């Protein structure tokens, strides 16, 4: 769990002379080669990305590849010296069940290393993705619904089972005020297993 307590800061391109905008998100260590998984919307249009780990270590990152339709991205860093680099294991898809306890790790509202817990409320949800009700581009299938508190800044962070395995990647909430309403959504490990190796 400690190795997932990290922030990802994406610096978007300014429009004309506007100042640079900073955004925050989360992610998790995927393999031993310096690759980290997060959401596409966390790093989309970023000019600079800095990853800050749970222990204060940091590293500049580059985007390896993104899949906007799955809202997944792989970024890469050179692991800092003397840093205990620990990739997270992915859960087997058939072990993800409604009612199972889960833990969301992330950076809600900039509060690094936050852990919240809840249950899997539903599986197999279809999640419309786009810029609003009038601009739905597609529906992401097989989404996990959870009542673990997920807030802005949790995007890209792992949803873990009690064995510390990734069952999903947190990416959205259903709330008119952009804060936890007990209805959060994660991209399921089935999609992570299929998309991330390709990226």
């Amino acid at each position: 769990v400690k190795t997932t307590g990290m922030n990802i800061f994406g610096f978007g391109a300014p429009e004309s002379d506007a100042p640079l905008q900073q955004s925050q998100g989360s992610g998790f260590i995927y393999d031993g080669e310096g690759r980290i998984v997060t959401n596409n919307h966390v790093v989309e249009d970023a000019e600079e990305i800095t990853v800050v780990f749970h222990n204060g270590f940091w590293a500049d990152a580059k985007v390896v590849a993104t899949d906007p339709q799955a809202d997944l991205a792989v970024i890469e860093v050179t692991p800092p010296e003397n840093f205990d680099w620990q990739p997270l294991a992915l859960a087997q898809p058939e072990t993800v069940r409604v009612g199972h306890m889960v833990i969301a790790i992330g950076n809600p509202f900039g509060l690094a290393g936050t852990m919240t817990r809840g249950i899997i409320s539903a599986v197999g949800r279809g999640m419309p993705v786009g810029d609003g009700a009038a601009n739905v581009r597609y529906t992401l299938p097989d989404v996990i619904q959870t009542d673990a508190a997920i807030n802005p800044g949790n995007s890209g962070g792992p949803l873990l089972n009690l064995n510390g395995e990734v069952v999903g990647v947190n990416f959205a909430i259903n709330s008119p005020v952009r804060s936890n309403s007990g209805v959060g959504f994660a991209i399921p490990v089935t999609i992570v297993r299929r998309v991330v190796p390709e990226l």
Side-chain angles (χ1 to χ4, degrees), residues 105-186:
I105 303 290
N107 181 43
F109 304 113
L111 300 170
T114 296
M115 177 173 69
T116 57
R117 70 182 174 94
I119 63 169
I120 294 176
S121 305
V123 295
R125 293 280 194 225
M127 184 71 179
V129 179
D131 300 327
N135 190 21
V136 174
R137 295 192 302 258
Y138 59 92
T139 298
L140 191 62
D142 299 325
V143 168
I144 296 170
Q145 180 184 330
T146 180
D147 67 352
I150 295 174
N151 288 290
N154 273 113
S155 291
L159 187 68
L160 305 172
N161 63 22
L162 296 187
N163 294 323
E165 299 167 327
V166 178
V167 300
V169 178
N170 304 317
F171 84 106
I173 56 176
N174 187 355
S175 172
V177 293
R178 296 190 73 241
S179 62
N180 177 54
S181 63
V183 183
F185 300 100

Side-chain angles (χ1 to χ4, degrees), residues 73-126:
V74 175
I75 63 175
E76 188 173 41
V77 303
T78 299
E81 290 185 21
N82 303 316
F83 179 65
D84 185 20
W85 186 264
Q86 294 287 333
L88 285 178
L90 301 181
Q92 293 300 318
E94 64 273 11
T95 65
V96 181
R97 298 268 200 282
V98 173
H100 282 191
M101 189 74 71
V102 286
I103 296 168
I105 303 290
N107 181 43
F109 304 113
L111 300 170
T114 296
M115 177 173 69
T116 57
R117 70 182 174 94
I119 63 169
I120 294 176
S121 305
V123 295
R125 293 280 194 225

